[in-house]
Amino acid sequence: MFIEMDLQSEVPLYAQLVDQLIEGIASGALHPGDPLPSVRSLAADLGINLHTVNKAYTLLKQEGFLQVHRKQGVVVNAEGMPGVTEAFERKLDAQLKTLAAEAAVRGLSAEAFAEKCAGAYRSAITGGGESL
Amino acid sequence: MFIEMDLQSEVPLYAQLVDQLIEGIASGALHPGDPLPSVRSLAADLGINLHTVNKAYTLLKQEGFLQVHRKQGVVVNAEGMPGVTEAFERKLDAQLKTLAAEAAVRGLSAEAFAEKCAGAYRSAITGGGESL
DNA sequence: AAACTGTTATATATTATATATAACAGTTAT
DNA sequence: ATAACTGTTATATATAATATATAACAGTTT
């Protein structure tokens, strides 16, 4: 598995897992229909509790990223990913505004900020290594 | 005051206050040297506790956004704002990557994401109203 | 002297996070 | 069918984060 937990991080473990699974889908490491490890085996691999994994799976299921087939277990939603909902747009706008404000105050130019954002998108869909 | 607390938000009150003060500086509503309300009066205005305001002020002071003159009280750092530190760059990169990954998975194009980011920066430095 | 400033200390209540153990119904493989 | 697995649910516990309440202190300001 390409997932690693940072026990020192201020980000909750279940949130780290949610983020990394979405990044896995964005990068193409995970495709619609792909099976995911069971809550117990993934918890064992990561050295965390079963319920922490289950919380992440449940959140991703509620948002439409994952499905649970009674047979195959948990899989990446084979019917496609959720679109740009109003709730996501609100979250995106709010977080971008907070980040942009601090960036501007610290003297990061609009162009430099834009390049950071573009790089983050590129990094997300290629998975990992930064380009220039 | 231009600050409003959302008691229903999942974002902690002290964090909402931190964000809105930084946005106030970014938009030009607050300038270096400008005095801020006392922890007691601002807490009373917002209907929250003195210690919640103090926590926000303390964080902003540690990061270099605010100063406390024994006479004038708390002011926006008159010696200028902190620059782009490595810690901020790490936080910015990590949060942008998370947001970009979800945006990409949901089908938001690189161009649409870039425009959202540019709009957030514009919105931050003008303060509020969205442009097109 | 009175009213204010940030700061610190102590205490309490609520919620979020994470773990532990156990059990259930359904599925898969031996 | 028995055993091993699946997600799911329930219960309990421990720790940390968040927020409030009350009080006090030293230093300013009026």
Side-chain angles (χ1 to χ4, degrees), chain A:
Chain A
M1 254 300 156
F2 50 92
I3 297 177
E4 286 181 5
M5 295 289 98
D6 181 1
L7 300 176
Q8 315 304 325
S9 172
E10 62 189 351
V11 181
L13 295 176
Y14 79 92
Q16 291 183 41
L17 189 46
V18 165
D19 291 343
Q20 292 194 35
L21 286 173
I22 292 179
E23 287 167 16
I25 301 174
S27 70
L30 290 173
H31 302 86
D34 279 358
L36 264 59
S38 74
V39 292
R40 287 174 178 84
S41 68
L42 183 53
D45 281 356
L46 300 177
I48 64 179
N49 192 271
L50 163 164
H51 293 101
T52 305
V53 175
N54 189 251
K55 183 171 183 175
Y57 278 9
T58 299
L59 279 173
L60 289 167
K61 196 178 48 184
Q62 289 173 342
E63 300 253 347
F65 296 101
L66 300 183
Q67 277 177 327
V68 46
H69 289 103
R70 187 71 72 175
K71 303 194 175 186
Q72 307 181 14
V74 174
V75 301
V76 180
N77 195 336
E79 300 170 10
M81 292 294 104
V84 180
T85 62
E86 287 192 12
F88 171 68
E89 212 156 3
R90 273 195 300 273
K91 184 184 78 170
L92 181 60
D93 288 344
Q95 292 195 21
L96 281 179
K97 180 171 181 178
T98 299
L99 289 174
E102 181 167 354
V105 167
R106 287 181 180 271
L108 197 70
S109 69
E111 293 74 20
F113 181 73
E115 185 47 47
K116 278 239 170 237
C117 293
Y121 192 98
R122 260 181 275 126
S123 170
I125 64 178
T126 58
E130 192 64 38
S131 64
L132 62 106

Side-chain angles (χ1 to χ4, degrees), chain B residues 7-76:
Chain B
L7 299 177
Q8 314 304 325
S9 171
E10 62 189 351
V11 181
L13 296 177
Y14 79 91
Q16 291 183 40
L17 189 47
V18 164
D19 291 343
Q20 293 193 35
L21 287 172
I22 291 179
E23 287 166 17
I25 300 173
S27 71
L30 289 173
H31 302 85
D34 279 358
L36 264 59
S38 75
V39 292
R40 287 174 179 83
S41 68
L42 182 53
D45 281 355
L46 299 177
I48 64 179
N49 192 270
L50 163 163
H51 292 102
T52 305
V53 176
N54 189 249
K55 183 170 183 174
Y57 277 10
T58 299
L59 278 172
L60 289 166
K61 196 177 47 185
Q62 288 174 341
E63 299 253 347
F65 296 101
L66 301 183
Q67 276 177 327
V68 46
H69 288 105
R70 187 70 73 175
K71 303 194 173 185
Q72 308 182 16
V74 174
V75 300
V76 180

